[in-house]
Amino acid sequence: MSDLKDTIQNFEYYEKEFATWEPTEIIIDENRAFWMLKKPDSECRKVCMFRDRYMVFVYGDYGNFCFDQMTWIGSVYNLEYDNLGYQFSKLSHDSKDALKVFDTDTCIEDLEEWFIDTLKELKDNYNIENPDQTAKAIFQYIKENDCIFFYDEEELCERYDCFEYMDLVQFVNDAYCNCDDEYDWISYLRESNLDDFEDECESSLWNAGRKVSQSYYISMYALHVCRDKLEEKAERI
């Protein structure tokens, strides 16, 4: 469960909250079953899981999603709680898309990584000795100056010797200025000169900033707690 603890923001709150919730298990037949973790005396505060052979539906207080790529008959006892990336890969296409949300910090990280990789590819063209360090230094300069204005370009180029690829630096700078909002980000990419640096249609930047919603991790943690409570209950019988 270490993945869940490390991934969920304010984990201690949910750990304390779910500790008081009650588990339910209903085995309908060999293919269908139902599990639920519910807050006592509440009809809406709950996380539920319904299995119909290889299809698993999760719904409740923290959102809804469906696993339709399972290669085993799912239950709260055998979900991959310690391999959330693998478990996420078993979601339906629509669920994966719905559970991806735009995050500014993630977008900035993805942009910096793209800049580093792009500069590595161009290092021979522009005789760049340390593309990793150079890209990180330029990106840090952009962040510290909260977007470079035209009159800063000469200072930046003198400091990092980037005159020959200033169009790339300007692209990264302008992209950074549009990281706050998904609409602004996508609009910028559509109007930008991205195709000067790579195949526009294949660029990873279209998916920059997309991270898995907390609702997925919280729901998975609730099912993990449901499993633990059911196992403890069975041991007492």
Side-chain angles (χ1 to χ4, degrees), residues 75-130:
S75 76
V76 295
Y77 304 105
N78 64 13
L79 294 178
E80 296 285 348
Y81 300 108
D82 287 321
N83 193 351
L84 296 175
Y86 177 75
Q87 189 64 61
F88 189 86
S89 72
K90 300 301 179 181
L91 286 166
S92 69
H93 175 78
D94 288 345
S95 292
K96 288 177 184 175
D97 190 58
L99 285 170
K100 288 290 187 74
V101 296
F102 186 82
D103 177 74
T104 295
D105 291 338
T106 301
C107 187
I108 292 172
E109 292 171 5
D110 292 342
L111 175 61
E112 181 175 18
E113 182 177 345
W114 178 89
F115 183 35
I116 292 170
D117 291 341
T118 303
L119 212 57
K120 283 181 180 179
E121 294 177 4
L122 297 175
K123 67 177 183 178
D124 293 334
N125 294 2
Y126 300 116
N127 195 29
I128 306 170
E129 293 185 4
N130 296 300

Side-chain angles (χ1 to χ4, degrees), residues 21-112:
W21 290 24
E22 298 173 346
T24 297
E25 178 179 53
I26 302 174
I27 306 300
I28 301 170
D29 55 38
E30 62 180 8
N31 291 321
R32 296 176 299 161
F34 172 81
W35 293 270
M36 176 174 64
L37 186 70
K38 186 172 79 73
K39 186 173 184 176
D41 303 319
S42 173
E43 291 304 317
C44 60
R45 301 299 308 282
K46 60 188 177 183
V47 175
C48 306
M49 173 175 160
F50 176 72
R51 177 194 76 205
D52 187 354
R53 197 165 173 74
Y54 296 109
M55 296 282 287
V56 174
F57 304 90
V58 178
Y59 58 94
D61 207 32
Y62 299 97
N64 312 316
F65 49 89
C66 168
F67 296 103
D68 69 351
Q69 304 292 321
M70 300 279 279
T71 53
W72 66 95
I73 297 179
S75 76
V76 295
Y77 304 105
N78 64 13
L79 294 178
E80 296 285 348
Y81 300 108
D82 287 321
N83 193 351
L84 296 175
Y86 177 75
Q87 189 64 61
F88 189 86
S89 72
K90 300 301 179 181
L91 286 166
S92 69
H93 175 78
D94 288 345
S95 292
K96 288 177 184 175
D97 190 58
L99 285 170
K100 288 290 187 74
V101 296
F102 186 82
D103 177 74
T104 295
D105 291 338
T106 301
C107 187
I108 292 172
E109 292 171 5
D110 292 342
L111 175 61
E112 181 175 18

Side-chain angles (χ1 to χ4, degrees), residues 1 4-5 8 11 14-24 35-38 47 76-77 79 81 217-233:
M1 194 177 62
L4 286 167
K5 289 183 177 181
I8 295 174
F11 174 78
Y14 296 101
E15 184 177 38
K16 182 178 180 180
E17 177 76 4
F18 292 156
T20 63
W21 290 24
E22 298 173 346
T24 297
W35 293 270
M36 176 174 64
L37 186 70
K38 186 172 79 73
V47 175
V76 295
Y77 304 105
L79 294 178
Y81 300 108
Y217 299 115
I218 296 168
S219 295
M220 291 293 290
Y221 175 58
L223 296 175
H224 188 286
V225 172
C226 181
R227 182 200 73 175
D228 289 350
K229 286 177 175 284
L230 287 170
E231 288 179 341
E232 291 171 3
K233 186 176 181 180

